[in-house]
Amino acid sequence: MIDARDITKTYPGTPRAVPVLQGLSLAVSGGETVALTGESGSGKSTLLHILGGLEAADTGIVTIAGQDVGALDEAGRAALRRDSIGLVFQQFNLIPSLDVGANLAFQARLNGRYDAGWAGTLAERLGLSDLLSRYPEELSGGQQQRVAIGRALASRPPVLMADEPTGNLDEDSAARVLDLMLSLVRETGTTLLIVTHSAAVAAQMDRRVHLSRGRLSAPSDAVGAAS
Amino acid sequence: MILLTLRALTSYWRRHRGQLLALLAGLTLATALWSAVQAINGQARSDYVRAAQQLGGTEQTFLARADGGAIPMDSFAQLRRAGWRVSPVMEARVVVGNLRLRVTGLDPFTAAPGTLPPAMAQQLASDPASVMTAPGRGFAAPELVAQLPAESLLPPLDPTPGLPPREIVTDISTVAALPDAELVRLSLHPQQPRFQTPLEQIAPDLVLQAGTGRVDATRLTDSFHLNLTAFGLLSFAVGLFIVHAGIGLAFEQRRATVRTLRALGVPLRTVMIALLVELLCLALIAGGAGVLLGYLLAAALLPDVAATLRGLYGAAVGDGLLFRPVWALSGMAMAVLGTGTAAATGLWALARMPLLASARPRAWSRVSERALWMQAAFGLVLLGLGVVAAWALDGLVAGFTLLGGLLLGAALMLPLSLALVLRLGRSQARSVLGAWFWADAQQQLRGLSMALMALMLALATNIGVGTMVSSFRLTFTGWLDQRLAADLYISARSEEQGAAITDWAQASRLRLLPLVSAEQTLSGRPGDIFGVKDDPLYRDSWPLIAAIAEPWDALHDAGAVLINEQLARSAALWPGQEITLAPGWRVPIAGVYSDYGNPKAQAIVALPELESRFSGLPRLRFGLIAPDTESARTQLQDLGLSQGQITDQAGIKAFSLAIFEQTFAVTAALNVLTLAVAGFAIFTSLTTLAALRLPQLAPVWALGKPRAALARLELLRAVLLAGLTYVLALPVGLALAWSLLAVVNVEAFGWRLPMFLFPSQWVWLGLAALLAALLAAALPARRLARRSPADFLRVFANER
């Protein structure tokens, strides 16, 4: 489902350029859940942005759901994100002027896969049924993160990418949100790539990959220590 | 997808209704002021055309003198003898009570078919004698007929709808009997003989023209309309500052939404199209409301404007306003273009915003000093261009380029000037809170600079125009006292009556001053030469602005001349130089006098000198110095003069001052409206920025400063910034006044007015600016004082 080969990315900097990803390769099968761990500044978010078509790699090939991301123009990458990828951000990134119901349905309506029944189920499972007419600013952080997860899953994307989805939440809320996300992902057969610092979160995934100095390495206990 | 994107973007306005209302109101006001001016100008111009059509049927060609002077009868006779099919048109100016009228005489025998006013043609067909034999018959607009007293020099009048409001049309023989009637043009029959002696051979001083042939007022009315247009444009620009601030902030606050939309798969192009559609809808809604409001405003202002144009320039403008699609469309177009201009930078920034850029609004990021210096440098360049244009170009274009450069340049330099003052304040602060106050004001500068620039434009315009009008009023009043020194002004019907008046004055031992004049081209401009008697009245009170020693002695004893300011400036002739008044008559200039409101060149010589040069000049008008005006009036009426032939000095002065006040009533109204719009700009900016200020205020609140104290500081800051803006606007306003008086007036009217300073007006305006800022800041400050602590706490919860 996700196939990245020989990815490099360097950010221009002063006095010299900073290499972030150096010939990195990663393959994730359909329905697999993968945790991407690494120290702060190791390039986890950059890799997620490249895989999600939000940012372009300097070199290498990225294929998502069979589409070569590098070959797509801006509109093509937008279509890929719209149709094939659900994104969950650390800062939630809800649309503040739309209520919870409209936020939940937004991406599904955008790609024409809106299903009122599925949206209702998601709202119910995520505990949002009573909050549909509220606005994001009226919700707690945990509630906002559940809306963001619901928005990503409502459009039934084949791939879900989440960047520190529980990073802003307390331990209990984080555990609840993660449980919900994992159960929904597994029920729908969605491929999940999650960036996290948390060893506990990473432990719940099918596989863990660790990013260090721009390259992927085998998971080790150091992951937990790093967090 | 566009609809969904549009819905997501426009949902912002549902949550920010006040901001939407402010934005729409700003654009509505800007469009309204612009449309009002356009409506007034459009109505006036269409009235000119209507007048031309009523007087001449359809668009005509005619012969007139290039200098606008009277055509000699000989030229007419020679043209007719040479086979030219021309019809004479005579005109006379008549004053009846407070009304200055133009009486136009047409010749039914030679006029081309369809060129007489329909009512006149009808009357001629049914009863030609009633029109062509004494006392004749006149045709005038019904409202004019209703205003005129029954007894006057004029023939009986038929109310004729559609004629210009201050014009009487009659048979040429009726006009010929009026004092000062002259042949002003020869209308050409559309069908002319195939072979004609060329015009240059018969009458080389005549030229072929199209329209009505009235060139005298055109330049002045054009100047008036240009002034109004400039004011409309300025108001529109001030309004656009509001729109720019409103739209810019809406874009800033939606950066996060735009980023989210793009991350969710909405292409940038779709986002841009949705934003453009949103802007277009806003522009159309506000534009429509603005055009409607502009129509109402124009309808309210038009009577004053019409009175000005009629009274000051003799132009034909009615009081009624018709809805015209052209200016409505121009108003809508301005609204759309203005919105586009105001939104351009915001749209550009969003279009270039990287997908992963920070979504935090940048409005409060501290503006770099380098950017301020660049902006100020650009302002300085504009200012320089204005000065260079004033020096290098001619005409009104030069004047208005100077004004534009001055105002825009000064406005662009304002943020840097304020930043430097605030930095100075910060360096002088002694307490921690004081240091924070100045630093916070510096940070607020970026968000408020647009509104403050609008305020500066409005204040500078108020000071500039206020100084000009007050200087004008002071000069004009003094000038009227000097020029209208005689107690009564008398018009005789005939030379016999003139002689009877002279005899009566001699017998009564009253000083009678004949007002005798001859039309003459003076240094290439149409003009008049007046002959004056040697009388202390002239020596004591004539408004000379430049003169040699003992100018009146030179005039009466050495044959020197006095010329009016318009002639002096246009021909660059000043005391000590010489002027040719007629072939073989070259005389030294003894002085220059101010002559406001007169579009023509004028010269004054000794009366015997004039009468020796132009034989047969009738003595029909007189000034009379009479200690008892009522008794003099009664005695004159006993001589057979009607009330309309005698006008007292106070009446003329009151009439002239009324015209003056009407002229500037419109200016004053636009002045107040512009200031109101600027005040609204500050209110809009403060209101819309209030929410974004929380991160700046929350730490100070958390450290122990109560919300009410913070609100008071907000008020103080708004007043401080408005006060500083006012102080900086003052020199700009005075420079504007100088430009208006010394450049624009000279270019537009030919006279230069002295500049007087009115500090009390500045104090009132300063207080008005501070009050406007206080009012504008009051609501946001009140909201801040009542804001829930939870809102402050949310800043620390990293949930923004």
Side-chain angles (χ1 to χ4, degrees):
Chain A
M1 185 58 69
I2 301 173
D3 191 10
R5 288 185 199 168
D6 302 323
I7 304 298
T8 64
K9 180 73 183 177
T10 302
Y11 286 120
T14 313
R16 58 196 166 90
V18 183
V20 181
L21 303 176
Q22 303 180 55
L24 177 151
S25 295
L26 173 68
V28 182
S29 317
E32 193 180 9
T33 58
V34 176
L36 180 61
T37 58
E39 295 169 7
S40 294
S42 61
K44 302 184 299 291
S45 293
T46 301
L47 178 59
L48 195 77
H49 292 156
I50 289 172
L51 297 176
L54 294 166
E55 200 170 358
D58 294 341
T59 60
I61 297 171
V62 177
T63 310
I64 304 287
Q67 291 193 72
D68 180 356
V69 178
L72 299 172
D73 59 6
E74 199 273 332
R77 287 198 300 277
L80 174 75
R81 289 195 298 274
R82 188 169 65 233
D83 298 334
S84 305
I85 303 171
L87 285 164
V88 180
F89 300 94
Q90 187 176 3
Q91 297 294 338
F92 326 132
N93 286 359
L94 301 178
I95 297 172
S97 48
L98 294 181
D99 62 22
V100 169
N103 264 294
L104 262 181
F106 194 81
Q107 192 171 4
R109 287 191 191 278
L110 211 56
N111 63 22
R113 286 194 219 128
Y114 178 69
D115 174 349
W118 173 234
T121 304
L122 276 175
E124 178 110 21
R125 295 279 300 275
L126 290 164
L128 299 170
S129 299
D130 295 335
L131 306 174
L132 292 176
S133 58
R134 296 225 191 144
Y135 285 87
E137 65 179 18
E138 297 164 352
L139 305 180
S140 70
Q143 287 169 330
Q144 288 192 55
Q145 191 59 292
R146 279 184 273 155
V147 178
I149 292 167
R151 178 178 68 186
L153 290 171
S155 66
R156 297 180 189 272
V159 178
L160 182 66
M161 296 185 187
D163 189 359
E164 298 275 10
T166 54
N168 277 326
L169 307 181
D170 63 73
E171 212 168 305
D172 286 348
S173 301
R176 276 202 301 275
V177 165
L178 189 70
D179 284 349
L180 264 171
M181 184 165 70
L182 273 174
S183 62
L184 286 166
V185 160
R186 284 181 175 136
E187 283 168 28
T188 52
T190 306
T191 303
L192 173 66
L193 181 63
I194 186 169
V195 168
T196 183
H197 270 117
S198 162
V201 171
Q204 295 188 53
M205 303 300 139
D206 297 342
R207 183 155 63 99
R208 283 178 286 166
V209 287
H210 186 71
L211 189 58
S212 176
R213 293 179 187 167
R215 290 193 176 86
L216 288 178
S217 60
S220 71
D221 291 337
V223 174
S227 67
Chain B
M1 195 189 322
I2 285 189
L3 279 180
L4 202 58
T5 309
L6 195 60
R7 198 184 139 205
L9 287 169
T10 51
S11 61
Y12 169 84
W13 298 114
R14 245 196 343 264
R15 307 276 295 161
H16 298 84
R17 285 183 187 158
Q19 195 178 339
L20 176 65
L21 203 65
L23 175 63
L24 288 174
L27 192 55
T28 302
L29 274 177
T31 313
L33 291 178
W34 169 260
S35 301
V37 167
Q38 291 312 305
I40 289 169
N41 284 350
Q43 184 65 45
R45 292 205 174 102
S46 102
D47 281 0
Y48 302 152
V49 171
R50 187 191 64 173
Q53 284 172 347
Q54 277 297 329
L55 291 171
T58 51
E59 179 80 1
Q60 282 186 300
T61 46
F62 55 86
L63 299 173
R65 270 175 54 162
D67 59 16
I71 300 172
M73 250 332 150
D74 274 357
S75 301
F76 169 58
Q78 282 169 19
L79 281 164
R80 291 291 295 188
R81 281 199 291 270
W84 282 72
R85 295 184 71 187
V86 288
S87 178
V89 179
M90 290 190 91
E91 280 185 2
R93 301 270 182 175
V94 176
V95 177
V96 181
N98 287 341
L99 297 171
R100 272 177 17 153
L101 307 173
R102 187 200 321 261
V103 188
T104 303
L106 306 174
D107 178 18
F109 292 114
T110 54
T115 58
L116 294 174
M120 186 174 174
Q122 230 169 10
Q123 185 69 27
L124 278 163
S126 59
D127 183 9
S130 69
V131 180
M132 292 190 279
T133 54
R137 198 170 198 90
F139 303 87
E143 59 268 30
L144 176 60
V145 176
Q147 278 178 283
L148 288 173
E151 186 198 356
S152 69
L153 292 170
L154 302 167
L157 297 175
D158 274 2
T160 311
L163 279 173
R166 294 288 181 270
E167 181 115 14
I168 293 164
V169 183
T170 182
D171 182 71
I172 192 161
S173 58
T174 312
V175 177
L178 293 173
D180 298 335
E182 52 191 32
L183 183 60
V184 290
R185 59 189 180 278
L186 302 170
S187 66
L188 276 169
H189 198 283
Q191 289 163 342
Q192 295 288 330
R194 188 169 298 178
F195 301 105
Q196 284 174 315
T197 314
L199 184 63
E200 311 79 75
Q201 287 182 21
I202 312 168
D205 55 339
L206 297 188
V207 289
L208 199 62
Q209 291 180 0
T212 62
R214 285 171 187 153
V215 292
D216 56 342
T218 312
R219 192 160 158 253
L220 288 174
T221 53
D222 275 355
S223 302
F224 185 82
H225 292 306
L226 188 64
N227 271 311
L228 274 185
T229 304
F231 229 118
L233 206 56
L234 179 73
S235 308
F236 188 74
V238 171
L240 279 195
F241 279 100
I242 302 179
V243 181
H244 185 281
I247 291 179
L249 277 164
F251 281 4
E252 288 273 308
Q253 287 178 311
R254 287 188 294 181
R255 277 165 67 88
T257 300
V258 169
R259 195 183 80 157
T260 302
L261 286 172
R262 291 184 62 195
L264 294 178
V266 179
L268 178 62
R269 195 163 157 267
T270 308
V271 174
M272 288 293 123
I273 291 173
L275 284 172
L276 283 173
V277 169
E278 176 197 86
L279 287 174
L280 187 67
C281 291
L282 289 174
L284 291 178
I285 293 167
V291 166
L292 188 67
L293 193 61
Y295 178 80
L296 298 175
L297 194 60
L301 293 177
L302 190 65
D304 276 342
V305 175
T308 301
L309 288 164
R310 285 194 301 255
L312 202 56
Y313 310 132
V317 180
D319 292 341
L321 181 69
L322 289 175
F323 183 84
R324 277 161 222 283
V326 174
W327 64 254
L329 283 175
S330 102
M332 294 298 277
M334 281 299 274
V336 172
L337 282 176
T339 310
T341 310
T345 48
L347 271 177
W348 179 248
L350 276 187
R352 301 200 20 112
M353 181 179 78
L355 184 47
L356 295 171
S358 164
R360 289 183 62 120
R362 300 167 309 156
W364 293 103
S365 65
R366 208 173 139 195
V367 61
S368 80
E369 204 153 281
R370 185 165 174 270
L372 288 181
W373 278 101
M374 294 277 285
Q375 185 181 321
F378 184 57
L380 200 62
V381 169
L382 283 183
L383 192 60
L385 283 177
V387 173
V388 170
W391 173 71
L393 300 174
D394 283 329
L396 279 174
V397 176
F400 282 104
T401 313
L402 173 65
L403 294 189
L406 174 69
L407 285 174
L408 273 180
L412 287 173
M413 287 193 276
L414 177 73
L416 177 70
S417 314
L418 288 175
L420 293 177
V421 174
L422 293 176
R423 192 162 73 180
L424 183 72
R426 190 179 178 181
S427 69
Q428 300 297 313
R430 297 197 177 161
S431 69
V432 176
L433 193 66
W436 172 79
F437 175 81
W438 288 102
D440 195 49
Q442 271 181 296
Q443 198 157 34
Q444 242 184 315
L445 202 53
R446 172 168 173 164
L448 278 177
S449 64
M450 277 289 169
L452 291 173
M453 281 155 75
L455 179 66
M456 185 192 202
L457 283 182
L459 288 173
T461 309
N462 262 275
I463 294 166
V465 175
T467 303
M468 181 194 77
V469 173
S470 300
S471 295
F472 200 174
R473 185 183 286 116
L474 207 61
T475 310
F476 189 64
T477 317
W479 174 79
L480 277 180
D481 286 342
Q482 292 172 328
R483 275 297 285 266
L484 300 174
D487 299 310
L488 287 177
Y489 289 87
I490 308 159
S491 297
R493 270 204 200 92
S494 60
E495 287 199 58
E496 291 72 38
Q497 194 175 50
I501 293 167
T502 310
D503 294 342
W504 164 79
Q506 268 176 355
S508 311
R509 295 178 181 274
L510 293 172
R511 283 152 62 200
L512 188 73
L513 308 172
L515 305 172
V516 182
S517 67
E519 282 224 350
Q520 186 67 21
T521 301
L522 298 170
S523 292
R525 299 183 49 156
D528 301 293
I529 304 176
F530 276 80
V532 295
K533 221 168 117 174
D534 191 359
D535 189 278
L537 185 89
Y538 293 116
R539 289 177 179 267
D540 296 342
S541 65
W542 201 252
L544 293 174
I545 56 171
I548 59 169
E550 305 301 332
W552 293 100
D553 286 346
L555 186 117
H556 291 292
D557 304 335
V561 65
L562 299 174
I563 60 172
N564 69 355
E565 186 184 359
Q566 289 86 309
L567 176 57
R569 290 196 187 279
S570 64
L573 289 170
W574 294 95
Q577 293 177 276
E578 290 191 336
I579 181 172
T580 303
L581 297 176
W585 187 17
R586 191 166 175 78
V587 288
I589 298 167
V592 174
Y593 56 94
S594 49
D595 189 17
Y596 307 122
N598 179 10
K600 295 169 90 176
Q602 201 179 80
I604 292 177
V605 296
L607 182 58
E609 182 77 29
L610 181 75
E611 289 181 329
S612 70
R613 299 273 175 176
F614 297 88
S615 56
L617 288 176
R619 289 192 178 194
L620 296 173
R621 287 181 296 154
F622 305 91
L624 180 73
I625 290 108
D628 183 354
T629 51
E630 274 317 302
S631 152
R633 184 186 281 275
T634 313
Q635 291 177 46
L636 283 165
Q637 284 176 335
D638 291 344
L639 287 177
L641 274 78
S642 65
Q643 286 236 336
Q645 289 177 267
I646 310 161
T647 314
D648 63 20
Q649 176 214 62
I652 298 180
K653 271 188 196 166
F655 173 60
S656 305
L657 283 172
I659 290 174
F660 179 89
E661 297 300 342
Q662 278 171 342
T663 304
F664 292 105
V666 181
T667 314
L670 287 174
N671 235 342
V672 170
L673 284 171
T674 311
L675 191 62
V677 169
F680 195 65
I682 300 180
F683 171 73
T684 311
S685 297
L686 288 174
T687 310
T688 51
L689 288 174
L692 294 174
R693 297 238 334 114
L694 271 191
Q696 271 79 43
L697 299 173
V700 188
W701 169 77
L703 291 172
K705 203 73 194 163
R707 287 167 293 166
L710 287 175
R712 281 196 295 275
L713 285 175
E714 293 287 294
L715 280 178
L716 182 63
R717 189 180 294 105
V719 169
L720 173 81
L721 288 171
L724 287 174
T725 304
Y726 166 76
V727 170
L728 295 168
L730 197 54
V732 179
L734 293 178
L736 178 70
W738 180 86
S739 308
L740 285 167
L741 291 167
V743 181
V744 175
N745 257 315
V746 176
E747 296 291 352
F749 304 110
W751 59 73
R752 180 173 174 168
L753 295 162
M755 181 165 154
F756 297 99
L757 300 180
F758 302 89
S760 62
Q761 282 183 8
W762 306 344
V763 173
W764 281 113
L765 188 65
L767 291 175
L770 296 182
L771 186 68
L774 203 62
L775 286 175
L779 190 62
R782 187 166 168 270
R783 278 192 193 147
L784 174 65
R786 296 181 171 197
R787 193 138 197 165
S788 155
D791 291 338
F792 287 89
L793 287 170
R794 196 167 290 154
V795 172
F796 304 113
N798 195 25
E799 288 185 1
R800 287 177 56 77

